[in-house]
Amino acid sequence: MACTLQLQPRLLSSLLGDNLQLSTKPLGRLLSYTPSAKRALVRSSRTLCNLADLIFNGRNSELSSTSQRKCLRPGKVSPRLHVPDHIPKPPYVMYRQSPGISSGPEIHDVGGIECMRASGRLAAQVLEYAGTLVKPGLTTDEIDKAVHQMIINNGAYPSPLGYGGFPKSVCTSVNECICHGIPDSRKLEDGDIINIDVTVYLNGYHGDTSATFLCGDVDDEAKKLVQVTRECLDRAVSICAPGVNYNRVGNTINDHADKFNFGVVRQFVGHGVGRVFHADPVILHFRNNEHGRMVLGQTFTIEPMLTMGSTQPVIWSDDWTAVTKDGSLSAQFEHTLLITENGAEILTKC
């Protein structure tokens, strides 16, 4: 699950440093940045939603601006699913903590690494299963229910459920939805693409992964977007090793996306993951000059989001769903990685 830097100024100052500036412009309480700051746009979600609704309602009510595909519209969200009491829950659920990025990287001993492998493996198995369900006529709510059941059947907790108020157990992002789509009553249609983002909390450790799937007969341009996004992730993973600069991840992704004239979304980032859902480091997916190096025994995600058009997100009034401003398609892939002496071990593989 991509990390959105919608944090309180106290947390933001520790993450972004002294270059963080709080704007008081009437149209939005925006947290801007200078070139030397982390290049992630931070917004006050409620004010942004009001602005987003204006933009959203201004789009063509029937068709995307870039194709004859219908624009995504919110469906009906069913009640939150139950998790049995015997399944351990992450602290943010038990104590209703506000989400945020924990300071310091997730670095594990031998026991912790085995726990990370177990959570990553389960997340990968759940994602693989969810992908087999994708077909025209199926609702994203049905995907959520199936994912939820498989996760709790394995004694794990669906990490998104209750995180910052997120109402479902998985993210389902269809077509122009960049990330954080809330499963609802909308039926998948022939030609759709859908990202399914699965995170499980097993034995005190989170495993986080996502993939974009094709629904029915998908056109060649959409297939290319999905293929190149997967290649961006694979190329980024291949350069990871102890001592490697984090900025090489974004540079590698951006270089490959540029070859096909696809945009790279900047506002959502990879992150440390392990005992907590979101931790340092912040992994930027676009070209940057930020500092920091990978450390042996560390776990984090890489999760590039590419678009056919605008990379600017518009946030729906649910405070979560992020769609491209121009309605163009977006795709995403994600893995949880462990840094080893031999490079990066992909923990979210079946």
Side-chain angles (χ1 to χ4, degrees):
M1 186 178 188
C3 182
T4 314
L5 301 182
Q6 294 175 336
L7 312 176
Q8 297 300 320
R10 178 179 59 82
L11 292 174
L12 285 163
S13 62
S14 64
L15 178 66
L16 302 185
D18 296 334
N19 293 302
L20 183 64
Q21 299 172 345
L22 185 60
S23 171
T24 56
K25 293 181 180 179
L27 277 181
R29 192 165 161 266
L30 305 182
L31 287 167
S32 59
Y33 54 89
T34 63
S36 61
K38 296 287 188 198
R39 292 171 174 80
L41 181 59
V42 185
R43 308 173 185 223
S44 173
S45 59
R46 175 53 58 192
T47 303
L48 177 59
C49 287
N50 295 335
L51 177 60
D53 285 341
L54 291 175
I55 298 172
F56 178 78
N57 291 330
R59 294 164 62 200
N60 187 298
S61 61
E62 295 296 330
L63 301 177
S64 161
S65 60
T66 57
S67 71
Q68 293 302 302
R69 175 177 44 81
K70 292 180 181 179
C71 284
L72 196 62
R73 289 289 182 264
K76 182 179 179 180
V77 178
S78 63
R80 175 172 169 163
L81 297 173
H82 175 69
V83 177
D85 291 339
H86 71 273
I87 293 179
K89 300 169 179 62
Y92 55 79
V93 174
M94 297 173 63
Y95 304 111
R96 298 185 179 181
Q97 295 176 346
S98 297
I101 292 183
S102 295
S103 178
E106 284 286 302
I107 300 174
H108 309 280
D109 59 16
V110 174
I113 288 173
E114 288 307 311
C115 287
M116 284 299 299
R117 285 177 175 143
S119 63
R121 184 166 53 249
L122 177 59
Q125 291 167 348
V126 173
L127 179 63
E128 182 179 61
Y129 169 63
T132 67
L133 303 176
V134 173
K135 64 179 180 180
L138 186 80
T139 68
T140 51
D141 189 59
E142 289 174 300
I143 294 175
D144 179 73
K145 288 177 180 177
V147 164
H148 180 91
Q149 194 62 48
M150 183 173 179
I151 291 173
I152 64 173
N153 284 350
N154 282 274
Y157 183 89
S159 302
L161 186 63
Y163 181 82
F166 194 81
K168 291 294 181 177
S169 298
V170 68
C171 299
T172 53
S173 302
V174 179
N175 294 336
E176 69 263 39
C177 186
I178 298 170
C179 61
H180 301 162
I182 297 175
D184 60 20
S185 61
R186 180 192 182 276
K187 293 181 179 181
L188 293 177
E189 299 179 2
D190 188 56
D192 283 348
I193 62 173
I194 175 173
N195 176 269
I196 302 177
D197 192 334
V198 172
T199 312
V200 305
Y201 183 70
L202 178 66
N203 297 325
Y205 291 78
H206 297 271
D208 192 359
T209 187
S210 85
T212 299
F213 300 94
L214 310 179
C215 182
D217 185 16
V218 175
D219 66 53
D220 290 341
E221 287 186 345
K223 287 180 180 177
K224 191 65 175 179
L225 173 68
V226 172
Q227 176 189 333
V228 172
T229 307
R230 182 193 293 272
E231 291 171 356
C232 283
L233 174 59
D234 292 343
R235 286 169 181 252
V237 170
S238 71
I239 60 96
C240 293
V244 172
N245 288 328
Y246 295 125
N247 61 31
R248 286 191 59 193
V249 171
N251 297 343
T252 299
I253 290 168
N254 223 146
D255 286 349
H256 192 59
D258 283 350
K259 296 175 185 177
F260 302 91
N261 294 317
F262 291 137
V264 180
V265 175
R266 297 184 168 214
Q267 285 81 356
F268 303 99
V269 297
H271 52 88
V273 65
R275 288 163 294 235
V276 296
F277 198 167
H278 294 116
D280 287 334
V282 170
I283 303 295
L284 304 180
H285 300 121
F286 55 92
R287 200 172 288 112
N288 69 91
N289 295 311
E290 296 302 321
H291 302 295
R293 296 176 183 272
M294 300 174 193
V295 179
L296 187 67
Q298 174 185 23
T299 51
F300 58 84
T301 71
I302 299 177
E303 40 191 306
M305 288 145 270
L306 269 58
T307 69
M308 283 187 174
S310 173
T311 61
Q312 292 302 312
V314 172
I315 311 297
W316 283 3
S317 57
D318 59 25
D319 281 347
W320 283 102
T321 308
V323 298
T324 56
K325 184 176 180 180
D326 62 356
S328 61
L329 291 179
S330 179
Q332 179 189 16
F333 285 86
E334 173 186 12
H335 275 311
T336 296
L337 308 177
L338 167 68
I339 299 301
T340 73
E341 293 178 351
N342 299 317
E345 177 183 339
I346 300 175
L347 299 179
T348 43
K349 267 189 172 181
C350 292

mmCIF file of all heavy atoms in Angstrom, residues 11 20 24 75 93 112 115 205 214 216 224 288 349:
data_model
loop_
_atom_site.group_PDB
_atom_site.id
_atom_site.type_symbol
_atom_site.label_atom_id
_atom_site.label_comp_id
_atom_site.label_asym_id
_atom_site.label_seq_id
_atom_site.Cartn_x
_atom_site.Cartn_y
_atom_site.Cartn_z
ATOM 1 N N LEU A 11 5.286 15.576 12.371
ATOM 2 C CA LEU A 11 5.906 14.422 11.738
ATOM 3 C C LEU A 11 6.587 14.817 10.443
ATOM 4 O O LEU A 11 7.651 14.313 10.101
ATOM 5 C CB LEU A 11 4.849 13.345 11.468
ATOM 6 C CG LEU A 11 4.255 12.672 12.712
ATOM 7 C CD1 LEU A 11 3.140 11.741 12.284
ATOM 8 C CD2 LEU A 11 5.322 11.915 13.475
ATOM 9 N N LEU A 20 10.613 22.323 4.697
ATOM 10 C CA LEU A 20 9.165 22.228 4.633
ATOM 11 C C LEU A 20 8.533 23.586 4.898
ATOM 12 O O LEU A 20 8.875 24.274 5.833
ATOM 13 C CB LEU A 20 8.687 21.223 5.683
ATOM 14 C CG LEU A 20 7.197 20.925 5.716
ATOM 15 C CD1 LEU A 20 6.779 20.262 4.427
ATOM 16 C CD2 LEU A 20 6.896 20.034 6.903
ATOM 17 N N THR A 24 -0.569 29.071 3.361
ATOM 18 C CA THR A 24 -1.868 29.478 3.906
ATOM 19 C C THR A 24 -2.787 29.994 2.811
ATOM 20 O O THR A 24 -3.711 30.756 3.065
ATOM 21 C CB THR A 24 -1.666 30.572 4.970
ATOM 22 O OG1 THR A 24 -0.948 31.665 4.391
ATOM 23 C CG2 THR A 24 -0.890 30.026 6.168
ATOM 24 N N GLY A 75 -18.970 3.774 -6.300
ATOM 25 C CA GLY A 75 -20.102 2.884 -6.125
ATOM 26 C C GLY A 75 -20.508 2.840 -4.663
ATOM 27 O O GLY A 75 -20.053 3.644 -3.850
ATOM 28 N N VAL A 93 -4.954 -0.242 14.777
ATOM 29 C CA VAL A 93 -6.348 -0.679 14.839
ATOM 30 C C VAL A 93 -6.817 -0.723 16.291
ATOM 31 O O VAL A 93 -7.886 -0.210 16.633
ATOM 32 C CB VAL A 93 -6.518 -2.068 14.186
ATOM 33 C CG1 VAL A 93 -7.948 -2.577 14.377
ATOM 34 C CG2 VAL A 93 -6.179 -2.006 12.708
ATOM 35 N N GLY A 112 13.413 -12.105 12.741
ATOM 36 C CA GLY A 112 12.583 -11.124 12.061
ATOM 37 C C GLY A 112 12.530 -11.347 10.562
ATOM 38 O O GLY A 112 11.480 -11.173 9.925
ATOM 39 N N CYS A 115 10.097 -14.058 9.817
ATOM 40 C CA CYS A 115 8.726 -13.545 9.930
ATOM 41 C C CYS A 115 8.352 -12.706 8.708
ATOM 42 O O CYS A 115 7.222 -12.794 8.207
ATOM 43 C CB CYS A 115 8.586 -12.721 11.202
ATOM 44 S SG CYS A 115 8.550 -13.683 12.731
ATOM 45 N N TYR A 205 4.294 -8.845 11.696
ATOM 46 C CA TYR A 205 5.049 -8.265 10.579
ATOM 47 C C TYR A 205 4.132 -8.099 9.365
ATOM 48 O O TYR A 205 3.304 -8.969 9.076
ATOM 49 C CB TYR A 205 6.238 -9.143 10.198
ATOM 50 C CG TYR A 205 7.327 -9.168 11.235
ATOM 51 C CD1 TYR A 205 7.210 -9.941 12.395
ATOM 52 C CD2 TYR A 205 8.498 -8.416 11.071
ATOM 53 C CE1 TYR A 205 8.209 -9.962 13.358
ATOM 54 C CE2 TYR A 205 9.510 -8.433 12.023
ATOM 55 C CZ TYR A 205 9.350 -9.201 13.168
ATOM 56 O OH TYR A 205 10.345 -9.216 14.123
ATOM 57 N N LEU A 214 -5.267 -7.517 -16.061
ATOM 58 C CA LEU A 214 -6.086 -7.197 -17.227
ATOM 59 C C LEU A 214 -7.439 -7.873 -17.094
ATOM 60 O O LEU A 214 -7.526 -9.040 -16.712
ATOM 61 C CB LEU A 214 -5.392 -7.674 -18.504
ATOM 62 C CG LEU A 214 -3.927 -7.261 -18.697
ATOM 63 C CD1 LEU A 214 -3.393 -7.833 -20.009
ATOM 64 C CD2 LEU A 214 -3.780 -5.748 -18.676
ATOM 65 N N GLY A 216 -10.541 -9.053 -19.180
ATOM 66 C CA GLY A 216 -11.105 -9.296 -20.500
ATOM 67 C C GLY A 216 -10.184 -8.853 -21.623
ATOM 68 O O GLY A 216 -8.967 -9.001 -21.547
ATOM 69 N N LYS A 224 0.532 -2.212 -22.871
ATOM 70 C CA LYS A 224 1.903 -1.691 -22.862
ATOM 71 C C LYS A 224 2.190 -0.954 -21.563
ATOM 72 O O LYS A 224 3.282 -1.091 -20.985
ATOM 73 C CB LYS A 224 2.112 -0.758 -24.059
ATOM 74 C CG LYS A 224 3.573 -0.366 -24.284
ATOM 75 C CD LYS A 224 4.405 -1.596 -24.661
ATOM 76 C CE LYS A 224 5.825 -1.237 -25.005
ATOM 77 N NZ LYS A 224 6.638 -2.423 -25.341
ATOM 78 N N ASN A 288 15.693 11.780 -8.870
ATOM 79 C CA ASN A 288 15.944 12.659 -7.722
ATOM 80 C C ASN A 288 17.398 12.555 -7.286
ATOM 81 O O ASN A 288 18.138 11.666 -7.731
ATOM 82 C CB ASN A 288 15.011 12.284 -6.560
ATOM 83 C CG ASN A 288 15.340 10.931 -5.955
ATOM 84 O OD1 ASN A 288 16.118 10.827 -5.008
ATOM 85 N ND2 ASN A 288 14.763 9.863 -6.511
ATOM 86 N N LYS A 349 6.964 -13.048 -3.288
ATOM 87 C CA LYS A 349 6.876 -13.966 -4.412
ATOM 88 C C LYS A 349 6.318 -15.288 -3.909
ATOM 89 O O LYS A 349 6.678 -15.722 -2.809
ATOM 90 C CB LYS A 349 8.243 -14.205 -5.044
ATOM 91 C CG LYS A 349 8.576 -13.305 -6.207
ATOM 92 C CD LYS A 349 9.852 -13.778 -6.901
ATOM 93 C CE LYS A 349 10.097 -13.000 -8.180
ATOM 94 N NZ LYS A 349 11.326 -13.481 -8.869
#
